[in-house]
Amino acid sequence: MPRLKRRAWIAGLGVAGLIGLGVTIADAQTDEGPQGFDPLSTEEEATAVGLAQGSNPAETTGLGDEDVVLLVERHVEAKADEADGRRRADVYVYSYDDDRLTLTVVDTATGEADQSTVLANTQLPLVAEEADRAIELALADPGSASALATAYRQATGRELTDPATQLEVQALIFRADGNPAVSRAAADCGRHRCAQLMIQTPDDLLVNIFPVIDLSAERVASRTGDFA
C-alpha cells in the first residue's frame, strides 16, 4: 500500500500541559510575571521550544523538520542560580530524522541555549500527536485492521464499523528490551520510537489485541502484540 505521508509533530504544552503537571499559571505567578519557582509561562515555553527547534537564527541545534516536543518543564537550578532569579527551561525534542532525543536547556530571559545534550537509551512517554499517528497507522494497515476487527467481534459479538466511536485506545511507549520474544519487525523498538496500543470499548470491555507500531519506520511491527 502507498506510504502514508508523515506529518511534522509540534506539541507545545501550553496551559493544558501545565495543568496536567499539577500547576496553574494563575495560582503560581505574580502580577510582575513568573518568578523563582513559578511554572513556565506560555511565553517562556514558546521561547524555549522555538529555540530548541532551531527557529532562532542565532542558534542551530541540528534538529530536522520531523521533530516532536515531548516535554517542556522548568529547569531545576542550583541554589545560587535560584537566588539570582534565574529561570531556564528543559526542552526534550525527539528527532524522527535520526531517532535522537535531545535535551536543550534554554535561558528564558536571554533567549539563549545554555546546553544541548543527546540522551541515549531514554524514551519519554508518547504525546497526543504520536498516539494519534500510531492509531492511524494501525487502522491503515490491512492486516492490522483485520486482526482488530476479529478481536472486536470475539470480544463483543458485534462488527467493527466505526473505530472512532466503538473503540477507546491508549497508546503506551514500547521497548523491545522489555520483551525477549519480540518479532524481528519490533526488534528496533527502543532505538526507534514505538507505541503499543491498549484497546477497549466505551463500556470498558477489553479487546484482546495489543498492536505495536514503529513510529520511526511508520509501520506496524506486530499486529497482535503476541510475540510468543
Side-chain angles (χ1 to χ4, degrees):
M1 63 178 296
R3 181 180 177 84
L4 294 174
K5 184 177 181 181
R6 176 173 286 175
R7 301 172 296 178
W9 293 313
I10 306 297
L13 288 178
V15 175
L18 290 175
I19 293 173
L21 294 176
V23 295
T24 65
I25 294 173
D27 288 341
Q29 295 176 2
T30 69
D31 292 338
E32 298 176 355
Q35 301 178 16
F37 294 105
D38 292 345
L40 297 172
S41 69
T42 52
E43 290 77 11
E44 287 176 315
E45 284 190 10
T47 296
V49 169
L51 184 57
Q53 290 185 307
S55 62
N56 187 324
E59 297 287 344
T60 301
T61 64
L63 299 175
D65 293 332
E66 296 175 1
D67 303 330
V68 55
V69 179
L70 300 181
L71 178 63
V72 184
E73 60 185 2
R74 189 177 61 81
H75 183 75
V76 178
E77 302 289 356
K79 289 186 177 180
D81 291 325
E82 286 179 352
D84 291 338
R86 192 175 194 187
R87 290 179 58 80
R88 293 189 293 175
D90 291 339
V91 185
Y92 295 83
V93 178
Y94 195 85
S95 169
Y96 277 87
D97 282 339
D98 50 17
D99 285 303
R100 295 199 307 176
L101 176 64
T102 302
L103 166 60
T104 302
V105 182
V106 176
D107 190 315
T108 60
T110 65
E112 296 179 350
D114 289 341
Q115 64 188 62
S116 187
T117 306
V118 175
L119 304 178
N121 300 316
T122 302
Q123 290 287 349
L124 294 180
L126 300 166
V127 296
E129 286 78 0
E130 292 176 305
D132 290 345
R133 184 57 170 161
I135 297 168
E136 179 184 357
L137 288 168
L139 294 175
D141 178 81
S144 177
S146 177
L148 176 57
T150 298
Y152 181 86
R153 188 184 312 112
Q154 291 172 343
T156 67
R158 302 186 300 269
E159 296 298 324
L160 180 62
T161 58
D162 185 7
T165 61
Q166 292 175 276
L167 300 177
E168 291 184 355
V169 184
Q170 181 182 12
L172 305 175
I173 197 72
F174 178 82
R175 295 180 61 100
D177 55 14
N179 189 330
V182 295
S183 63
R184 180 177 299 178
D188 287 331
C189 291
R191 294 188 298 272
H192 285 183
R193 191 92 170 138
C194 295
Q196 184 160 43
L197 305 183
M198 306 295 176
I199 304 170
Q200 63 182 29
T201 65
D203 55 354
D204 298 329
L205 183 63
L206 178 67
V207 178
N208 192 25
I209 188 172
F210 306 94
V212 174
I213 313 301
D214 187 330
L215 291 167
S216 298
E218 292 212 313
R219 67 175 181 177
V220 176
S222 172
R223 289 172 175 149
T224 63
D226 183 4
F227 301 111

